[in-house]
Amino acid sequence: MTAQPAFPPAPPPRRSRWRAWRSASLRFALAYGLMFALSSILFMSFLWWGTIGFLERQVETAINADARALAERWVIGGLPTLALTIEDRLEQNLDDDAIYLVIDPQGNYLTGNVSAWPGRVQYTDRWYSLPDTRAGLRSMAELHAYNLPGTAQTHTAGQLDSGYRLLVGRDVRARGILRHLLTDSLLWAWVMVTLLAVSGAVLVHRIFRRMVKTVARTTSAIAHGDLSRRMPLVGNGDEMDQVAEAINEMLDRIVRLMDGVRQVSNAIAHDLRTPIARARTQLEDAALHATTPEELRGAIDRAVGNLDNVTAVFEALLRIAQIEAGSRRSAFMAFDMVPVLLDVADLYEAVAEDHAITLRLDLPAALPFYGDRSLIQQAVANMLDNAIKFSPSGGTVHLRARMRELAPGRVTGPTGEGMLDLSVSDEGIGMSAADMARATERFFRAEKARNTPGAGLGLSMVRAIVQLHGGQMQLSAHNPGLTVSLALPIAACALSDDGRECPSPQNISGMTQTSPFSHQHDTNSSVK
């Protein structure tokens, strides 16, 4: 016998009947269709009421004008003239829609094309719509009663009690036909517009759903580890392509950041393992073999030096992170960069002389700048340290700085901004094109620089400082050697004497804080 399960299998989850209503694309499409249909109803209702109201006002205006003209004929010639005028108008009425009636104070018929006064017409201050039979056809007539001047005896609230009275009207059968025709036309038009609204809602629903599903599939694949997935592009440059490009750019940025974190983690584990292991070996060797306090103290000092190098690496990483986060922008100020460059050159001139290297300066008399003074000094120091470290004995290191000409004979732009070019060139071992492409990656060391001291963070810090100031950094061959060039924007406030307040670094010269060498770091600088 086969064993029976203790519990029956659970039924599959039931699909909620309201699940479709939770779709954002469906709600958006329904809202679009409903708004389209309602707007069409409002527009057609306005058109209907406007047209019918215009026809009614036209009839009322014609009746009032006709009554005034007849009253004038009554005043001029009395009943004979009025009767003759009415007969003439009836003969000239080609549409056969005019209605006239004149009665005496006793209600007797005098003239007109209506045999008797309508019993419902009792007042002169209102309009009446009454059924009318003309030529065997039933229709509606728009009527208005008037008192002929000089004949009324008494009036109570406009009631026609006595005197000669005039009834003027129009047969509005044509207006009724037009109203029905207009109503039917607008109804059919509304049906067609509603069908178009439904079709548009379905189309919008499909487009919206396709876009959202594409985003959902891509992000779901990335969330499950497939970092190579990207949003597909249609290629027509519409809004969907723009969204897809923005998402793909964001994903590329995330992948680069993850690769950078992975590379930095591997570099930290690889580069810091050696000094830590060396310090441990020195301490362990001293503990086992040191026979005098001097030997033990020397081993401890060497281990402390190795650990200090480790601490310096972490301090440099933290400093780079702070600079890239923009936390140093509060220290921006206007200053002259020439004294800063001279101070750094004086500091490294002694180091260059110890290595038999000549340090040459090419600086103008003044270089107004707006930025962080200490960070600019740090960047130039790192560049000079690299140049001296890799220059051969008897070589020359050049430090150059100048204002760039933005136009022939002009160093300022239309709004007063400028551009500063700063470079450090050496005659050392140089770098290959592949190494220059990775020159600012943290902990990256070119093969030629493997045997030199340093952790590979100097140019990383230079790049972070340049980006903070909204500038660009470029490495090029010097043949022999390497040239590190910086292009730094200068705010208009630093170049003017009117005391204007300097803007934030993001707005200097309209440049964004990006570098043409994204995610490129140091190759051969020491940690400063």
Side-chain angles (χ1 to χ4, degrees):
M1 296 178 63
T2 58
Q4 297 294 330
F7 299 98
R14 296 180 60 185
R15 183 182 180 92
S16 174
R17 67 178 63 183
W18 302 107
R19 183 176 180 179
W21 296 103
R22 294 200 297 267
S23 172
S25 60
L26 179 60
R27 295 197 304 269
F28 182 81
L30 290 177
Y32 163 80
L34 182 61
M35 290 298 297
F36 198 93
L38 290 177
S39 61
S40 64
I41 291 175
L42 292 176
F43 172 74
M44 293 179 184
S45 298
F46 173 78
L47 183 63
W48 189 88
W49 284 110
T51 304
I52 298 302
F54 171 76
L55 294 176
E56 291 180 352
R57 289 191 299 272
Q58 188 178 33
V59 171
E60 293 174 358
T61 302
I63 291 175
N64 285 326
D66 205 0
R68 284 194 298 271
L70 293 176
E72 292 176 358
R73 302 301 297 173
W74 165 265
V75 172
I76 293 174
L79 180 60
T81 304
L82 178 61
L84 183 60
T85 303
I86 291 176
E87 290 177 1
D88 290 340
R89 293 195 177 188
L90 289 175
E91 290 178 359
Q92 298 174 5
N93 184 222
L94 300 179
D95 294 333
D96 194 24
D97 61 348
I99 298 175
Y100 299 103
L101 176 61
V102 179
I103 63 174
D104 60 13
Q106 289 75 33
N108 298 320
Y109 169 85
L110 296 179
T111 186
N113 59 349
V114 179
S115 60
W117 188 274
R120 293 176 54 184
V121 180
Q122 298 293 326
Y123 302 94
T124 61
D125 57 352
R126 65 187 62 179
W127 292 88
Y128 295 90
S129 294
L130 301 178
D132 182 29
T133 302
R134 300 169 63 83
L137 298 176
R138 290 185 61 85
S139 62
M140 294 296 295
E142 192 81 12
L143 304 173
H144 197 286
Y146 301 90
N147 286 324
L148 292 176
T151 64
Q153 302 298 325
T154 59
H155 302 283
T156 303
Q159 186 174 2
L160 299 179
D161 296 330
S162 62
Y164 289 86
R165 289 169 288 180
L166 171 66
L167 181 68
V168 182
R170 290 292 185 273
D171 189 333
V172 292
R173 179 175 63 252
R175 190 184 71 179
I177 295 174
L178 181 60
R179 175 185 295 183
H180 288 299
L181 179 62
L182 180 62
T183 302
D184 293 340
S185 300
L186 292 181
L187 284 177
W188 281 109
W190 179 80
V191 171
M192 295 177 62
V193 169
T194 303
L195 292 177
L196 290 176
V198 173
S199 302
V202 172
L203 181 61
V204 170
H205 172 61
R206 290 181 177 178
I207 295 175
F208 192 87
R209 186 178 181 183
R210 183 183 64 181
M211 182 178 65
V212 172
K213 278 196 170 183
T214 303
V215 175
R217 284 196 300 266
T218 303
T219 54
S220 178
I222 292 174
H224 287 83
D226 185 6
L227 298 180
S228 62
R229 289 288 295 272
R230 294 295 182 270
M231 290 280 295
L233 298 177
V234 178
N236 53 12
D238 60 1
E239 290 78 3
M240 294 181 62
D241 270 3
Q242 294 177 7
V243 172
E245 289 176 356
I247 294 177
N248 291 341
E249 184 178 357
M250 176 190 67
L251 294 176
D252 292 338
R253 176 68 172 171
I254 291 174
V255 171
R256 289 197 300 266
L257 291 175
M258 293 181 64
D259 290 341
V261 171
R262 188 181 303 109
Q263 293 174 5
V264 169
S265 301
N266 294 336
I268 291 176
H270 181 270
D271 290 358
L272 299 186
R273 179 177 58 187
T274 299
I276 294 176
R278 187 182 299 117
R280 182 183 184 282
T281 301
Q282 291 171 349
L283 292 176
E284 184 178 7
D285 182 71
L288 295 176
H289 303 97
T291 58
T292 62
E294 289 76 11
E295 293 178 354
L296 184 59
R297 186 175 296 107
I300 293 175
D301 291 340
R302 290 191 295 273
V304 169
N306 288 323
L307 294 178
D308 287 341
N309 290 334
V310 175
T311 303
V313 169
F314 281 108
E315 289 179 351
L317 289 174
L318 291 175
R319 187 173 177 83
I320 292 173
Q322 291 175 353
I323 295 173
E324 290 180 342
S327 59
R328 293 294 300 265
R329 293 192 186 117
S330 59
F332 275 39
M333 59 180 297
F335 63 94
D336 188 358
M337 189 179 289
V338 172
V340 175
L341 299 179
L342 292 176
D343 290 342
V344 178
D346 290 341
L347 179 65
Y348 278 89
E349 188 174 9
V351 180
E353 291 178 355
D354 293 341
H355 293 80
I357 296 173
T358 303
L359 179 59
R360 292 184 178 176
L361 307 181
D362 183 7
L363 305 175
L367 280 175
F369 190 71
Y370 175 70
D372 190 312
R373 183 188 186 101
S374 63
L375 290 182
I376 294 296
Q377 189 174 16
Q378 176 75 73
V380 177
N382 284 7
M383 294 163 62
L384 288 177
D385 184 81
N386 282 346
I388 294 173
K389 185 190 302 182
F390 293 100
S391 292
S393 179
T396 303
V397 173
H398 295 269
L399 172 61
R400 301 181 179 89
R402 64 181 180 87
M403 292 282 293
R404 180 189 300 179
E405 286 191 358
L406 303 180
R410 294 184 56 186
V411 295
T412 58
T415 57
E417 75 283 357
M419 184 67 68
L420 185 149
D421 291 328
L422 191 152
S423 65
V424 174
S425 304
D426 61 63
E427 299 176 351
I429 58 178
M431 299 175 63
S432 65
D435 289 339
M436 282 190 288
R438 302 183 58 191
T440 53
E441 292 183 3
R442 293 174 184 153
F443 298 106
F444 175 78
R445 305 294 300 277
E447 291 297 329
K448 299 177 182 179
R450 290 292 181 183
N451 298 323
T452 58
L457 292 174
L459 288 183
S460 297
M461 187 172 296
V462 175
R463 181 194 66 86
I465 294 172
V466 171
Q467 285 187 349
L468 181 70
H469 289 80
Q472 298 178 345
M473 176 180 177
Q474 184 176 3
L475 278 70
S476 58
H478 189 235
N479 297 322
L482 179 72
T483 298
V484 181
S485 303
L486 308 182
L488 300 171
I490 308 177
C493 62
L495 299 174
S496 63
D497 298 327
D498 54 4
R500 74 178 71 174
E501 183 179 357
C502 286
S504 60
Q506 297 94 323
N507 299 327
I508 298 178
S509 299
M511 299 180 64
T512 57
Q513 296 189 26
T514 57
S515 172
F517 305 99
S518 59
H519 303 284
Q520 299 172 3
H521 303 265
D522 170 37
T523 174
N524 49 13
S525 68
S526 61
V527 177
K528 300 306 293 178

